[in-house]
Amino acid sequence: MKPLNKFLLSALTFILGVCRLNAQNNQVDADPKSIFSASVNYVSKLNYFGRVDSLKSSGMLTSIGYQHKSGLYAQSNFIFIQNAAQPLNYTGASLEGGYKFPQSKHFSGNLFFTDFLYKDNSVLVQSALHYQTGINLVVNNNIANINTGADLKFSNDKTDLGISFGVDHIFLIKTANKKIVWAINPSAYTYWGTQNFSYSYLQKTSFLGIPTGSVPASASYTRFNLLSYEFSAPVVLVAGKLNASFIPSFVVPENLIANERGMQLFYCTIGIGIRL
C-alpha cells in the first residue's frame, strides 16, 4: 500500500471549510467568480493515517491556487519538514489540477489529479507516491454533511485504491456587522485502502514424482483494509479576504503492516490564508 499525502489532506480540509463558509450556510452564489488563494499551514506531527516517520517530523505547507469561475482549478503545494535531525527543510512539492462541480444547496464535489515531486532523500512516509487521481463528493443537509471519496494512487510498481467516508456539521457564528464570521466543523472520518503484503514459505521439490526436499519461496498479495479513524474539530475565522484556521485532530491507525510505524496520535494544523 502506497500512501496518499495525508499532510495535504489537512490543508484541503481547511480550504473546503473556507469555501463552505463563504457559501454562507449553503446559500449558492448565482454569479460564480474566479478566485486566487494562498495559504501557509503548520502541521505539528506529519502522518499518513497515523503512520509516522521514525523522526516524528513536523512540517509547513505553503499553497498557491487559482480556481476559474468555470470550476477548473490548479494548485501547487510546497512542503517543508523539521525534526530532531534537521531544521526546517524543503522536501518536495505537489501540483494538482481538477474540476469543482457547480455547487448547489445540497451537493458539491471535485475531480482531481495530483503529481508529487519529492526529493530523493525525503523522509516523508508518503514519498514513494508519484501520482494520485480521484473524486470527492459531499451531500449537504441540515443534520450532517455526508463526505465520500475514492482515489487511485500510483507508485513505481503498484496501483492502490483508497476510499473515505465521513460526516461533519458546520456551526456558523457571525458578528453584528457580519464582516467577521467564525465556523466550527466537528468531523469524523474513516479511511480504507489496499495494502500490499509479501510472505515467505518453503516450497516442496521433487524429481520424477519423488520428494527431494524444499526451497525458500515468496509470494505477495493485496488486501483491502480499514486504515484509520480520524476525528477533528476545525475552527475557521473569515474576515473579508483573510482567513485563519486551527484544526485539532485525533487519528487511530488500523491494520499496520510490517515496517509501518504508527500510533494513536493527537496533532494540530494551524493556517492563515487569503482569497482574492
Side-chain angles (χ1 to χ4, degrees):
M1 179 258 311
K2 302 300 183 184
L4 67 83
N5 196 321
K6 183 62 176 66
F7 181 26
L8 297 183
L9 186 58
S10 294
L12 292 176
T13 301
F14 161 73
I15 295 170
L16 179 59
V18 174
C19 290
R20 288 182 183 168
L21 189 58
N22 287 346
Q24 294 297 306
N25 206 15
N26 294 330
Q27 296 300 312
V28 181
D29 188 350
D31 183 22
K33 299 178 176 62
S34 297
I35 299 171
F36 169 83
S37 63
S39 66
V40 178
N41 298 274
Y42 170 77
V43 183
S44 63
K45 295 179 182 177
L46 297 179
N47 73 95
Y48 158 69
F49 301 151
R51 282 81 171 161
V52 297
D53 62 72
S54 60
L55 298 173
K56 299 180 181 179
S57 303
S58 60
M60 184 173 293
L61 170 71
T62 62
S63 300
I64 300 175
Y66 177 78
Q67 179 182 333
H68 189 263
K69 60 183 179 181
S70 65
L72 294 174
Y73 72 92
Q75 180 175 310
S76 59
N77 305 279
F78 304 94
I79 305 168
F80 301 81
I81 67 170
Q82 65 178 11
N83 49 51
Q86 63 180 14
L88 192 66
N89 184 52
Y90 173 75
T91 193
S94 71
L95 302 174
E96 179 177 325
Y99 175 72
K100 291 189 177 182
F101 304 132
Q103 185 170 339
S104 67
K105 184 176 181 180
H106 298 295
F107 174 81
S108 61
N110 71 298
L111 295 167
F112 69 91
F113 177 84
T114 307
D115 183 9
F116 297 98
L117 307 169
Y118 295 110
K119 293 175 65 175
D120 291 340
N121 61 348
S122 173
V123 301
L124 286 177
V125 177
Q126 60 268 30
S127 60
L129 182 62
H130 295 312
Y131 307 100
Q132 180 183 354
T133 186
I135 183 172
N136 297 300
L137 299 173
V138 181
V139 178
N140 302 307
N141 61 72
N142 293 329
I143 300 175
N145 301 313
I146 307 301
N147 302 268
T148 60
D151 63 78
L152 293 174
K153 298 175 281 290
F154 305 92
S155 60
N156 285 334
D157 55 352
K158 301 292 182 181
T159 300
D160 289 298
L161 171 67
I163 300 291
S164 64
F165 176 81
V167 294
D168 72 80
H169 183 87
I170 298 178
F171 298 92
L172 293 178
I173 305 172
K174 301 179 182 179
T175 59
N177 58 15
K178 297 184 179 181
K179 293 183 178 181
I180 298 177
V181 183
W182 291 86
I184 303 174
N185 186 22
S187 308
Y189 279 82
T190 60
Y191 298 97
W192 305 72
T194 55
Q195 293 175 295
N196 294 295
F197 297 81
S198 62
Y199 62 95
S200 300
Y201 61 97
L202 294 177
Q203 184 175 39
K204 294 181 178 180
T205 59
S206 64
F207 178 72
L208 298 177
I210 301 174
T212 59
S214 60
V215 296
S218 63
S220 61
Y221 65 99
T222 300
R223 178 182 294 173
F224 186 82
N225 276 328
L226 171 65
L227 299 179
S228 74
Y229 302 94
E230 183 155 2
F231 307 92
S232 63
V235 179
V236 180
L237 167 67
V238 173
K241 297 177 180 180
L242 300 176
N243 52 69
S245 68
F246 173 70
I247 308 174
S249 304
F250 181 72
V251 59
V252 181
E254 297 286 345
N255 296 301
L256 296 171
I257 63 176
N259 300 320
E260 281 193 323
R261 181 179 286 102
M263 65 186 74
Q264 296 185 13
L265 184 67
F266 175 82
Y267 68 100
C268 63
T269 304
I270 302 171
I272 57 173
I274 186 170
R275 292 166 60 86
L276 303 173

